[in-house]
Amino acid sequence: MLTWHYRLWEPHDVVAILVFALYMCRFVGAISIHSPKQSLIRSVQEDVFFSADVSCNGTPTMQWTFMSASVSRAIAAWRPGVFANVTADYDGRVESHDNGSMSLARLRLQDSGYYVLTVTDDAGASRDAGFVLKVNEVLYEDLQYLSVSALALGCLAALLMLGMWLLNKAYRKIVACRHRKQMTENDETELQPL
Ligand SMILES: *[C@@H]1O[C@H](CO)[C@@H](O)[C@H](O)[C@H]1NC(C)=O
Ligand SMILES: *[C@@H]1O[C@H](CO)[C@@H](O)[C@H](O)[C@H]1NC(C)=O
């Protein structure tokens, strides 16, 4: 009996029990956040979708926070089916999804930075997932404006050159005409004495 007891607590049994306990803990208190794309680049005025899929037991509370070098502010907090709260700064631009994902519409340059999703479960355990967003200025319209201006200037220059060429030609014609007239008049005057 004693030897059986002794054998029960052999080191490999202890390890097996610990591993089993840890394995069970994973299912009891675990929060998992699956986020396929954590680095996003968008342009000003576009929308962005921070895709996440949260799983935990009970109903999770999602909380999104924005962080940049100078500020850190709450964006929204929600609990699927219970409440959804959007900070006044983001009112009308944020859409919350039950799986933890968040849409942010009409991006501005200042929206560039880090976005942190914090998920808290019923027991108070929490887990974070981070996203990086870069918002670029729209250069396209400026470029289009420049190319249109360049085209208009080019056309104007071509028209001016054509006009000058025509004037020059007309002037030469007039001069040649006058010259010829003068020559015939001279001929006539020279012929008169004969
Ligand atoms: C989360 O839910 C949204 C809206 O229902 C869906 O479009 C998106 O693909 C989901 N994200 C993930 C990672 O499952
Ligand atoms: C929603 O936000 C307001 C202002 O930040 C806060 O006073 C209120 O307690 C929040 N509601 C919930 C349910 O979190």
Short mmCIF file of all heavy atoms in Angstrom, two decimals, residues 110-159:
data_model
loop_
_atom_site.label_atom_id
_atom_site.label_comp_id
_atom_site.label_asym_id
_atom_site.label_seq_id
_atom_site.Cartn_x
_atom_site.Cartn_y
_atom_site.Cartn_z
N GLN A 110 -4.86 62.73 -38.46
CA GLN A 110 -4.58 62.54 -37.04
C GLN A 110 -4.97 61.14 -36.55
O GLN A 110 -4.68 60.79 -35.42
CB GLN A 110 -5.33 63.54 -36.15
CG GLN A 110 -5.22 64.99 -36.53
CD GLN A 110 -6.33 65.39 -37.48
OE1 GLN A 110 -6.20 65.20 -38.68
NE2 GLN A 110 -7.42 65.95 -36.97
N ASP A 111 -5.65 60.34 -37.38
CA ASP A 111 -6.03 58.99 -36.96
C ASP A 111 -4.87 58.01 -37.05
O ASP A 111 -4.99 56.86 -36.62
CB ASP A 111 -7.20 58.48 -37.81
CG ASP A 111 -8.51 59.20 -37.49
OD1 ASP A 111 -8.70 59.57 -36.31
OD2 ASP A 111 -9.32 59.39 -38.40
N SER A 112 -3.74 58.44 -37.60
CA SER A 112 -2.55 57.58 -37.65
C SER A 112 -2.08 57.28 -36.24
O SER A 112 -1.95 58.19 -35.43
CB SER A 112 -1.41 58.28 -38.38
OG SER A 112 -1.63 58.28 -39.76
N GLY A 113 -1.82 55.99 -35.97
CA GLY A 113 -1.31 55.64 -34.64
C GLY A 113 -1.62 54.20 -34.28
O GLY A 113 -1.89 53.38 -35.16
N TYR A 114 -1.60 53.93 -33.00
CA TYR A 114 -1.83 52.57 -32.51
C TYR A 114 -3.25 52.45 -31.97
O TYR A 114 -3.74 53.36 -31.33
CB TYR A 114 -0.85 52.22 -31.40
CG TYR A 114 0.57 52.23 -31.86
CD1 TYR A 114 1.35 53.36 -31.72
CD2 TYR A 114 1.12 51.10 -32.48
CE1 TYR A 114 2.67 53.38 -32.18
CE2 TYR A 114 2.42 51.11 -32.94
CZ TYR A 114 3.18 52.26 -32.79
OH TYR A 114 4.46 52.27 -33.26
N TYR A 115 -3.87 51.32 -32.26
CA TYR A 115 -5.21 51.04 -31.75
C TYR A 115 -5.13 49.77 -30.94
O TYR A 115 -4.64 48.76 -31.42
CB TYR A 115 -6.19 50.87 -32.92
CG TYR A 115 -6.47 52.18 -33.62
CD1 TYR A 115 -5.56 52.71 -34.53
CD2 TYR A 115 -7.63 52.91 -33.34
CE1 TYR A 115 -5.79 53.93 -35.14
CE2 TYR A 115 -7.87 54.13 -33.96
CZ TYR A 115 -6.95 54.64 -34.85
OH TYR A 115 -7.18 55.85 -35.45
N VAL A 116 -5.60 49.85 -29.70
CA VAL A 116 -5.52 48.68 -28.82
C VAL A 116 -6.94 48.21 -28.46
O VAL A 116 -7.77 49.00 -28.03
CB VAL A 116 -4.73 49.00 -27.54
CG1 VAL A 116 -4.65 47.77 -26.64
CG2 VAL A 116 -3.34 49.50 -27.88
N LEU A 117 -7.15 46.93 -28.69
CA LEU A 117 -8.42 46.31 -28.29
C LEU A 117 -8.16 45.56 -26.99
O LEU A 117 -7.30 44.67 -26.94
CB LEU A 117 -8.89 45.35 -29.38
CG LEU A 117 -10.00 44.36 -28.98
CD1 LEU A 117 -11.28 45.06 -28.59
CD2 LEU A 117 -10.28 43.38 -30.14
N THR A 118 -8.88 45.93 -25.94
CA THR A 118 -8.76 45.22 -24.67
C THR A 118 -10.04 44.45 -24.42
O THR A 118 -11.13 45.04 -24.44
CB THR A 118 -8.51 46.22 -23.51
OG1 THR A 118 -7.39 47.02 -23.85
CG2 THR A 118 -8.25 45.50 -22.20
N VAL A 119 -9.90 43.15 -24.23
CA VAL A 119 -11.07 42.31 -23.99
C VAL A 119 -11.04 41.87 -22.52
O VAL A 119 -10.03 41.37 -22.04
CB VAL A 119 -11.05 41.08 -24.91
CG1 VAL A 119 -12.24 40.18 -24.63
CG2 VAL A 119 -11.02 41.52 -26.36
N THR A 120 -12.15 42.08 -21.83
CA THR A 120 -12.24 41.68 -20.42
C THR A 120 -13.38 40.67 -20.28
O THR A 120 -14.47 40.91 -20.82
CB THR A 120 -12.52 42.91 -19.53
OG1 THR A 120 -11.63 43.96 -19.91
CG2 THR A 120 -12.34 42.59 -18.07
N ASP A 121 -13.12 39.57 -19.60
CA ASP A 121 -14.20 38.57 -19.46
C ASP A 121 -14.93 38.76 -18.12
O ASP A 121 -14.61 39.65 -17.34
CB ASP A 121 -13.67 37.15 -19.66
CG ASP A 121 -12.77 36.69 -18.52
OD1 ASP A 121 -12.63 37.43 -17.53
OD2 ASP A 121 -12.18 35.60 -18.64
N ASP A 122 -15.91 37.90 -17.88
CA ASP A 122 -16.74 38.01 -16.68
C ASP A 122 -15.91 37.96 -15.40
O ASP A 122 -16.24 38.60 -14.41
CB ASP A 122 -17.79 36.88 -16.65
CG ASP A 122 -18.81 37.06 -17.77
OD1 ASP A 122 -18.97 38.21 -18.22
OD2 ASP A 122 -19.43 36.07 -18.18
N ALA A 123 -14.83 37.16 -15.43
CA ALA A 123 -14.03 36.98 -14.22
C ALA A 123 -13.05 38.14 -14.01
O ALA A 123 -12.35 38.18 -13.00
CB ALA A 123 -13.27 35.66 -14.31
N GLY A 124 -12.99 39.05 -14.95
CA GLY A 124 -12.11 40.21 -14.80
C GLY A 124 -10.76 40.04 -15.47
O GLY A 124 -9.94 40.96 -15.43
N ALA A 125 -10.52 38.87 -16.07
CA ALA A 125 -9.26 38.67 -16.79
C ALA A 125 -9.33 39.47 -18.09
O ALA A 125 -10.40 39.67 -18.65
CB ALA A 125 -9.08 37.19 -17.10
N SER A 126 -8.17 39.93 -18.56
CA SER A 126 -8.21 40.70 -19.80
C SER A 126 -7.02 40.39 -20.70
O SER A 126 -6.01 39.83 -20.27
CB SER A 126 -8.27 42.20 -19.50
OG SER A 126 -7.04 42.64 -19.00
N ARG A 127 -7.21 40.76 -21.95
CA ARG A 127 -6.18 40.52 -22.95
C ARG A 127 -6.23 41.63 -24.00
O ARG A 127 -7.30 42.15 -24.30
CB ARG A 127 -6.47 39.17 -23.62
CG ARG A 127 -5.30 38.68 -24.42
CD ARG A 127 -5.52 37.25 -24.85
NE ARG A 127 -4.30 36.77 -25.45
CZ ARG A 127 -3.81 35.57 -25.28
NH1 ARG A 127 -4.44 34.71 -24.53
NH2 ARG A 127 -2.70 35.22 -25.88
N ASP A 128 -5.06 41.98 -24.53
CA ASP A 128 -4.98 43.07 -25.51
C ASP A 128 -4.58 42.57 -26.90
O ASP A 128 -3.89 41.57 -27.02
CB ASP A 128 -3.91 44.09 -25.10
CG ASP A 128 -4.24 44.80 -23.80
OD1 ASP A 128 -5.43 44.89 -23.48
OD2 ASP A 128 -3.30 45.24 -23.12
N ALA A 129 -4.98 43.32 -27.90
CA ALA A 129 -4.47 43.11 -29.26
C ALA A 129 -4.21 44.49 -29.85
O ALA A 129 -5.02 45.40 -29.66
CB ALA A 129 -5.49 42.36 -30.10
N GLY A 130 -3.09 44.65 -30.51
CA GLY A 130 -2.74 45.97 -31.04
C GLY A 130 -2.80 46.03 -32.55
O GLY A 130 -2.55 45.04 -33.24
N PHE A 131 -3.14 47.19 -33.06
CA PHE A 131 -3.20 47.43 -34.50
C PHE A 131 -2.44 48.73 -34.79
O PHE A 131 -2.45 49.63 -33.97
CB PHE A 131 -4.65 47.61 -34.97
CG PHE A 131 -5.51 46.39 -34.82
CD1 PHE A 131 -6.01 46.05 -33.56
CD2 PHE A 131 -5.82 45.59 -35.90
CE1 PHE A 131 -6.81 44.93 -33.40
CE2 PHE A 131 -6.62 44.47 -35.75
CZ PHE A 131 -7.11 44.13 -34.50
N VAL A 132 -1.84 48.80 -35.98
CA VAL A 132 -1.16 50.03 -36.39
C VAL A 132 -1.87 50.55 -37.63
O VAL A 132 -2.09 49.80 -38.59
CB VAL A 132 0.32 49.76 -36.73
CG1 VAL A 132 1.01 51.07 -37.13
CG2 VAL A 132 1.04 49.14 -35.55
N LEU A 133 -2.24 51.82 -37.60
CA LEU A 133 -2.89 52.43 -38.76
C LEU A 133 -2.07 53.61 -39.24
O LEU A 133 -1.67 54.46 -38.46
CB LEU A 133 -4.31 52.89 -38.40
CG LEU A 133 -5.03 53.68 -39.49
CD1 LEU A 133 -5.37 52.80 -40.68
CD2 LEU A 133 -6.29 54.33 -38.96
N LYS A 134 -1.86 53.64 -40.56
CA LYS A 134 -1.17 54.79 -41.15
C LYS A 134 -2.13 55.44 -42.13
O LYS A 134 -2.65 54.78 -43.03
CB LYS A 134 0.10 54.32 -41.86
CG LYS A 134 0.81 55.42 -42.59
CD LYS A 134 2.32 55.30 -42.44
CE LYS A 134 3.06 56.37 -43.22
NZ LYS A 134 2.41 57.67 -43.26
N VAL A 135 -2.41 56.72 -41.93
CA VAL A 135 -3.31 57.44 -42.84
C VAL A 135 -2.47 58.37 -43.71
O VAL A 135 -1.74 59.21 -43.19
CB VAL A 135 -4.37 58.24 -42.05
CG1 VAL A 135 -5.31 58.96 -43.00
CG2 VAL A 135 -5.16 57.33 -41.12
N ASN A 136 -2.58 58.20 -45.00
CA ASN A 136 -1.80 59.01 -45.95
C ASN A 136 -2.62 60.15 -46.50
O ASN A 136 -3.83 60.03 -46.67
CB ASN A 136 -1.35 58.14 -47.12
CG ASN A 136 -0.27 57.17 -46.72
OD1 ASN A 136 0.58 57.48 -45.89
ND2 ASN A 136 -0.32 55.97 -47.28
N GLU A 137 -1.94 61.22 -46.83
CA GLU A 137 -2.59 62.36 -47.47
C GLU A 137 -2.93 61.96 -48.90
O GLU A 137 -2.23 61.15 -49.49
CB GLU A 137 -1.60 63.51 -47.52
CG GLU A 137 -2.13 64.76 -46.87
CD GLU A 137 -1.03 65.80 -46.73
OE1 GLU A 137 0.09 65.43 -46.38
OE2 GLU A 137 -1.33 66.95 -46.98
N VAL A 138 -4.00 62.55 -49.44
CA VAL A 138 -4.36 62.23 -50.82
C VAL A 138 -3.57 63.15 -51.75
O VAL A 138 -3.81 64.34 -51.80
CB VAL A 138 -5.87 62.40 -51.06
CG1 VAL A 138 -6.26 61.91 -52.43
CG2 VAL A 138 -6.65 61.65 -50.02
N LEU A 139 -2.61 62.58 -52.46
CA LEU A 139 -1.79 63.38 -53.37
C LEU A 139 -2.37 63.36 -54.77
O LEU A 139 -2.06 64.19 -55.59
CB LEU A 139 -0.37 62.80 -53.43
CG LEU A 139 0.43 63.01 -52.16
CD1 LEU A 139 1.73 62.24 -52.21
CD2 LEU A 139 0.72 64.48 -51.96
N TYR A 140 -3.25 62.41 -55.00
CA TYR A 140 -3.82 62.19 -56.32
C TYR A 140 -4.46 63.45 -56.90
O TYR A 140 -4.17 63.83 -58.03
CB TYR A 140 -4.83 61.05 -56.22
CG TYR A 140 -5.59 60.80 -57.48
CD1 TYR A 140 -4.96 60.30 -58.60
CD2 TYR A 140 -6.95 61.09 -57.55
CE1 TYR A 140 -5.66 60.08 -59.77
CE2 TYR A 140 -7.66 60.87 -58.70
CZ TYR A 140 -7.01 60.37 -59.81
OH TYR A 140 -7.70 60.17 -60.96
N GLU A 141 -5.29 64.15 -56.08
CA GLU A 141 -6.00 65.32 -56.59
C GLU A 141 -5.03 66.44 -56.95
O GLU A 141 -5.19 67.12 -57.94
CB GLU A 141 -7.00 65.81 -55.55
CG GLU A 141 -8.28 65.01 -55.61
CD GLU A 141 -9.21 65.31 -54.47
OE1 GLU A 141 -9.08 66.39 -53.87
OE2 GLU A 141 -10.05 64.46 -54.17
N ASP A 142 -3.99 66.60 -56.13
CA ASP A 142 -2.99 67.63 -56.40
C ASP A 142 -2.30 67.36 -57.73
O ASP A 142 -2.11 68.25 -58.55
CB ASP A 142 -1.93 67.63 -55.29
CG ASP A 142 -2.53 68.02 -53.96
OD1 ASP A 142 -3.67 68.51 -53.96
OD2 ASP A 142 -1.87 67.83 -52.94
N LEU A 143 -1.93 66.08 -57.91
CA LEU A 143 -1.24 65.69 -59.15
C LEU A 143 -2.11 65.94 -60.36
O LEU A 143 -1.66 66.46 -61.37
CB LEU A 143 -0.86 64.21 -59.09
CG LEU A 143 0.39 63.89 -58.28
CD1 LEU A 143 0.65 62.40 -58.31
CD2 LEU A 143 1.60 64.62 -58.87
N GLN A 144 -3.40 65.61 -60.22
CA GLN A 144 -4.33 65.79 -61.32
C GLN A 144 -4.44 67.28 -61.67
O GLN A 144 -4.39 67.67 -62.82
CB GLN A 144 -5.69 65.25 -60.91
CG GLN A 144 -6.52 64.83 -62.09
CD GLN A 144 -7.82 64.21 -61.64
OE1 GLN A 144 -8.34 64.57 -60.59
NE2 GLN A 144 -8.32 63.31 -62.42
N TYR A 145 -4.53 68.10 -60.62
CA TYR A 145 -4.65 69.54 -60.80
C TYR A 145 -3.42 70.08 -61.53
O TYR A 145 -3.53 70.84 -62.48
CB TYR A 145 -4.79 70.20 -59.42
CG TYR A 145 -4.79 71.70 -59.46
CD1 TYR A 145 -5.91 72.40 -59.90
CD2 TYR A 145 -3.66 72.41 -59.07
CE1 TYR A 145 -5.90 73.77 -59.94
CE2 TYR A 145 -3.64 73.79 -59.11
CZ TYR A 145 -4.76 74.47 -59.55
OH TYR A 145 -4.75 75.83 -59.61
N LEU A 146 -2.24 69.59 -61.09
CA LEU A 146 -0.99 70.03 -61.71
C LEU A 146 -0.93 69.65 -63.17
O LEU A 146 -0.54 70.45 -64.03
CB LEU A 146 0.20 69.39 -60.99
CG LEU A 146 0.82 70.22 -59.89
CD1 LEU A 146 2.01 69.49 -59.29
CD2 LEU A 146 1.28 71.57 -60.45
N SER A 147 -1.31 68.42 -63.50
CA SER A 147 -1.20 67.95 -64.88
C SER A 147 -2.19 68.69 -65.76
O SER A 147 -1.88 69.02 -66.91
CB SER A 147 -1.38 66.44 -64.97
OG SER A 147 -2.66 66.09 -64.53
N VAL A 148 -3.38 69.00 -65.22
CA VAL A 148 -4.36 69.76 -66.00
C VAL A 148 -3.83 71.16 -66.27
O VAL A 148 -3.91 71.68 -67.38
CB VAL A 148 -5.73 69.80 -65.27
CG1 VAL A 148 -6.64 70.85 -65.89
CG2 VAL A 148 -6.40 68.44 -65.32
N SER A 149 -3.24 71.78 -65.26
CA SER A 149 -2.67 73.13 -65.43
C SER A 149 -1.56 73.11 -66.46
O SER A 149 -1.48 74.00 -67.31
CB SER A 149 -2.08 73.64 -64.11
OG SER A 149 -2.98 73.47 -63.08
N ALA A 150 -0.69 72.09 -66.38
CA ALA A 150 0.43 72.00 -67.32
C ALA A 150 -0.09 71.84 -68.74
O ALA A 150 0.42 72.47 -69.68
CB ALA A 150 1.32 70.82 -66.93
N LEU A 151 -1.14 71.05 -68.89
CA LEU A 151 -1.73 70.82 -70.21
C LEU A 151 -2.30 72.13 -70.76
O LEU A 151 -2.08 72.49 -71.92
CB LEU A 151 -2.83 69.76 -70.10
CG LEU A 151 -3.34 69.20 -71.42
CD1 LEU A 151 -2.28 68.30 -72.04
CD2 LEU A 151 -4.63 68.43 -71.21
N ALA A 152 -3.02 72.88 -69.91
CA ALA A 152 -3.62 74.15 -70.33
C ALA A 152 -2.54 75.14 -70.74
O ALA A 152 -2.65 75.80 -71.78
CB ALA A 152 -4.46 74.72 -69.18
N LEU A 153 -1.47 75.23 -69.95
CA LEU A 153 -0.36 76.13 -70.27
C LEU A 153 0.29 75.74 -71.58
O LEU A 153 0.63 76.60 -72.40
CB LEU A 153 0.68 76.11 -69.14
CG LEU A 153 0.34 76.98 -67.93
CD1 LEU A 153 1.40 76.82 -66.86
CD2 LEU A 153 0.24 78.45 -68.35
N GLY A 154 0.45 74.43 -71.78
CA GLY A 154 1.06 73.91 -73.02
C GLY A 154 0.23 74.31 -74.23
O GLY A 154 0.77 74.77 -75.25
N CYS A 155 -1.09 74.16 -74.12
CA CYS A 155 -2.00 74.51 -75.21
C CYS A 155 -1.91 76.00 -75.52
O CYS A 155 -1.86 76.41 -76.68
CB CYS A 155 -3.44 74.17 -74.85
SG CYS A 155 -3.77 72.42 -74.92
N LEU A 156 -1.89 76.82 -74.46
CA LEU A 156 -1.80 78.26 -74.61
C LEU A 156 -0.51 78.64 -75.34
O LEU A 156 -0.52 79.44 -76.29
CB LEU A 156 -1.83 78.92 -73.23
CG LEU A 156 -2.14 80.41 -73.22
CD1 LEU A 156 -3.56 80.65 -73.70
CD2 LEU A 156 -1.95 80.98 -71.81
N ALA A 157 0.59 78.02 -74.94
CA ALA A 157 1.89 78.30 -75.57
C ALA A 157 1.86 77.92 -77.04
O ALA A 157 2.33 78.67 -77.90
CB ALA A 157 2.98 77.54 -74.83
N ALA A 158 1.26 76.77 -77.36
CA ALA A 158 1.19 76.31 -78.74
C ALA A 158 0.37 77.28 -79.58
O ALA A 158 0.73 77.62 -80.72
CB ALA A 158 0.57 74.91 -78.78
N LEU A 159 -0.77 77.76 -78.99
CA LEU A 159 -1.63 78.72 -79.71
C LEU A 159 -0.88 80.02 -79.98
O LEU A 159 -0.96 80.57 -81.09
CB LEU A 159 -2.88 79.02 -78.87
CG LEU A 159 -4.04 78.05 -79.06
CD1 LEU A 159 -5.17 78.38 -78.10
CD2 LEU A 159 -4.57 78.13 -80.51
#
